[in-house]
């Protein structure tokens, strides 16, 4: 026997739903749709099912406009039906008698919703009740107050489960449709998949959902001008908390330049403090020569805008023009430090080390090898086959740390690359007969090349670790860079078993850059005030280089003589680990928490020293955040410059 068609099933359900007497005086706008209904008397269209339509017909105020053309007898009929249904009796036009509808009594009819589902359940329940009556189980008016509790609970659970299954199924389909629209926009706009993790995207979706249907889309002009201005105002409000931190513990002005796709030189200015890093402004530097004097004017104007009393240091890269600008700034602003970017300094160290003959030769061979593999689809396919789709790192011109990353990945895939160049697939490849192919295979099978790779990695790895420290945003690196550089040198010495001839030239490069650019009073003072290192080295207080840096910072950053004296007095308590400094809590957290947190927790007995320590230890020592990806920034801001 054939199953009934979906159309037949829909028609049957519709007939059941239309048992309500209200359907005699209105009709569906679309056949089968019991939600959108047209009044037969005035033609008004209502949404919300037959219940809302009946409210319109009887003129019930508040929910829907009343029909002015409904005859009085129709109003009385519908009011009587709605009253009897609300009281728990079953309305009947056939005179078969009234009986309590238990489900109506229990739950009532939801106001403003389509009562068709209620009617359908009432019909089925009444039919079952009638059948029981025929079998001799007659119910009276009191039966609605005396029911079988267990049966009622089970019936309610089954009904709720059935409704939940239907709702969940409908919700899943609707959610899938919405998600597909979001995904399609994502793909067409070419957005990064990581952007879906943004809290602002989550807020946007929630706001759209709360608004509901018919949300107007912002225009091109709206999102480009007025909405952008409002977002700028919102960002400025966010900066209020940052400005409070600037006043309390000082801040760092960071500056660096980048070039957009139109070859315009944009100079960024950021402010870093305990509250985080905030973009302040950008200047188009395409119309002037970036001399030291001009950069000094720009930096001095930013200091004036932020407030000289709030600025501890200015961090820029190590170009000669910025060095001059920094010197001019320190001459004018006696209580501000100019500090070269630590990340740039270490990158220059790696560049200088890369110029040593053996290392330069090794990097050149590795770069040529990787370039050859990626220049041909056949060799690239072979590589991915032998490395299980792990890629090599391609050398970048502007960041010399990528030389290390290239060598590191090559060394990690050494066995697979050698298998590749000794495989039958490579032998049958026509590239193996060409000069570049022969040279690549020769390098891969050359033991001296791999020995040189290991030598270069031993030299560069400790410095790259320091670079990651100062280039990261997880924690302020000011209190760690001094120790990190010492540890890097110790690691290099150990890796060569104290054979000075193997690292002598490397150390000469490191010391030159460190003494000339990186070794600053702020770095030394932060090292002294970091409890993790101070209490582990009992001789640190006798280190002239470190203590001299601390005293210079006290003199430069604290202009009041009486406060300077108070700090020196309080410094003694820190040195001997007195009171809170020597408590079990403080000792346990010297290495487990950041130094700024430690000083906040345990430095209250030395308030002047505490404020100075937090001010120094919360500083950044790199301006690399000014060099992040500015493609979106370019689209939004640069056109307005």
């Amino acid at each position: 026997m054939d199953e009934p068609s979906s159309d037949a099933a829909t028609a049957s359900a519709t007939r059941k739903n239309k048992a309500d007497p209200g359907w005699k005086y209105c009709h569906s706008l679309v056949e089968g749709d019991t939600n959108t209904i047209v009044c037969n008397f005035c033609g008004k269209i209502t949404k919300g099912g037959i219940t809302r339509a009946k409210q319109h017909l009887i003129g019930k105020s508040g929910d829907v406009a009343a029909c002015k053309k409904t005859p009085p007898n129709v109003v009385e009929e519908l009011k009587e039906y709605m009253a009897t249904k609300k009281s728990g009796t079953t309305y009947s036009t056939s005179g078969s008698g009234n009986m309590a509808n238990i489900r109506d009594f229990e739950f009532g009819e939801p106001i403003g919703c389509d009562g068709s589902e209620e009617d359908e359940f009432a019909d089925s329940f009444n039919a079952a009740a009638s059948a029981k009556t025929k079998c001799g189980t007659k119910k009276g008016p009191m039966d609605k107050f005396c029911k079988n509790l267990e049966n009622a609970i089970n019936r309610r659970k089954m009904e709720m489960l059935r409704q939940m299954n239907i709702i969940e199924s409908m919700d899943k389909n609707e959610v899938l449709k919405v998600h597909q629209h979001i995904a399609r926009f994502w793909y067409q706009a070419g957005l990064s998949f990581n952007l879906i993790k943004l809290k602002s995207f989550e807020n946007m979706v929630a706001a759209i959902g709360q608004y509901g249907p018919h949300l107007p889309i912002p225009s091109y002009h709206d999102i480009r001008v007025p909405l952008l201005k409002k977002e700028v105002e919102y960002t400025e409000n966010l900066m209020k908390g940052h400005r409070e931190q600037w006043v309390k513990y000082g801040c760092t002005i960071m500056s660096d330049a980048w070039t957009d796709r139109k070859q315009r030189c944009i100079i960024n200015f950021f402010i870093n403090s305990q509250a985080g890093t905030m973009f302040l402004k950008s200047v188009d530097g395409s119309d002037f020569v970036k001399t030291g004097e001009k950069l000094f004017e720009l930096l001095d104007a930013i200091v004036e805008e932020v407030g000289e009393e709030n600025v501890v240091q200015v961090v820029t890269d190590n170009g000669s023009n910025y060095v001059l600008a920094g010197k001019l700034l320190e001459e004018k602003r006696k209580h501000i430090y100019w500090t070269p970017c630590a990340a740039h300094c270490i990158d220059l160290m790696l560049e200088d080390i890369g110029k040593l003959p053996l290392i330069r030769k090794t990097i050149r061979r590795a770069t040529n090898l990787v370039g050859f593999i990626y220049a041909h689809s056949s060799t690239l396919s072979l590589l991915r086959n032998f490395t299980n789709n792990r890629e090599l790192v391609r050398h970048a011109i502007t960041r010399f740390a990528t030389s290390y990353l290239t060598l590191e990945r090559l060394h990690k895939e050494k066995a697979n690359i050698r298998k590749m160049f000794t495989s039958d697939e490579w032998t049958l490849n026509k590239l193996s007969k060409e000069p570049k192919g022969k040279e690549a295979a020769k390098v891969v099978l050359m033991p001296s090349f791999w020995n040189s790779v290991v030598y270069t990695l031993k030299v560069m790895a400790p410095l790259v670790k320091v670079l990651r420290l100062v280039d990261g945003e997880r924690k302020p690196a000011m209190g760690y860079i001094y120790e990190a550089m010492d540890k890097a040198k110790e690691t290099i010495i150990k890796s060569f078993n104290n054979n000075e001839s193997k690292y002598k030239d490397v150390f000469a490069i490191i010391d030159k850059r460190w003494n000339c650019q990186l070794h600053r009073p702020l770095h030394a003072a932060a090292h002294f005030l970091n409890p993790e290192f101070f209490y582990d080295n009992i001789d640190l207080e006798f280190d002239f280089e470190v203590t001299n840096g601390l005293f210079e910072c006290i003199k430069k950053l604290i202009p009041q003589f009486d406060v300077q004296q108070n700090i020196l007095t309080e410094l003694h308590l820190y040195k001997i680990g007195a009171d809170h400094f020597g408590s079990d809590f403080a000792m346990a957290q010297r290495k487990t928490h950041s130094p700024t947190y430690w000083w906040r927790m345990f430095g209250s007995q030395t308030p002047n020293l505490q404020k100075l320590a937090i001010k120094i230890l919360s500083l950044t020592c790199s301006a690399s955040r000014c060099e992040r990806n500015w493609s979106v920034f370019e689209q939004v801001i640069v056109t307005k410059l």
Side-chain angles (χ1 to χ4, degrees), residues 136-153:
T137 308
K138 188 173 182 180
K139 293 183 180 289
M142 293 300 293
D143 285 330
K144 64 182 179 181
F145 301 103
C146 306
K147 58 189 179 184
N148 188 316
L149 183 61
E150 184 177 353
N151 290 341
I153 293 174

Side-chain angles (χ1 to χ4, degrees), residues 620-641:
T620 183
C621 54
S622 172
S624 55
R625 294 173 208 184
C626 300
E627 303 174 13
R628 298 294 187 241
N629 188 344
W630 288 100
S631 56
V632 176
F633 176 86
E634 178 180 357
Q635 296 173 17
V636 177
I637 299 295
V638 170
T639 54
K640 294 292 183 181
L641 291 174

Side-chain angles (χ1 to χ4, degrees), residues 47 128 145 171 207 223 245 270 307 314 337 415 491 628 641:
K47 290 182 179 290
F145 301 103
D171 284 349
I223 204 164
Q245 289 294 318
F270 282 72
V314 175
Y337 278 108
T491 303
R628 298 294 187 241
L641 291 174

Side-chain angles (χ1 to χ4, degrees), residues 344 346-352 354-355 363-364 367-368 393-406 460 467 627:
H344 190 222
I346 296 170
D347 202 48
L348 293 176
M349 282 184 192
L350 294 171
E351 178 186 3
D352 293 340
K355 294 176 181 178
I363 293 175
R364 187 182 71 249
T367 303
N368 291 340
V393 179
R394 306 185 71 179
H395 180 74
I397 297 174
T398 56
R399 276 287 185 183
F400 298 97
T402 56
S403 301
Y404 165 80
L405 300 177
T406 300
M460 286 187 162
L467 178 61
E627 303 174 13

Side-chain angles (χ1 to χ4, degrees), residues 215-223 227:
L215 172 68
I217 300 173
S219 67
Y220 172 81
H221 173 75
D222 290 340
I223 204 164
L227 293 177

Side-chain angles (χ1 to χ4, degrees), residues 139 149 188 241 265 302 324 365 399 401 475 558 636:
K139 293 183 180 289
L149 183 61
Q188 289 179 355
C265 179
I302 297 296
L324 176 58
R365 283 177 169 175
R399 276 287 185 183
K475 63 180 180 181
I558 308 298
V636 177

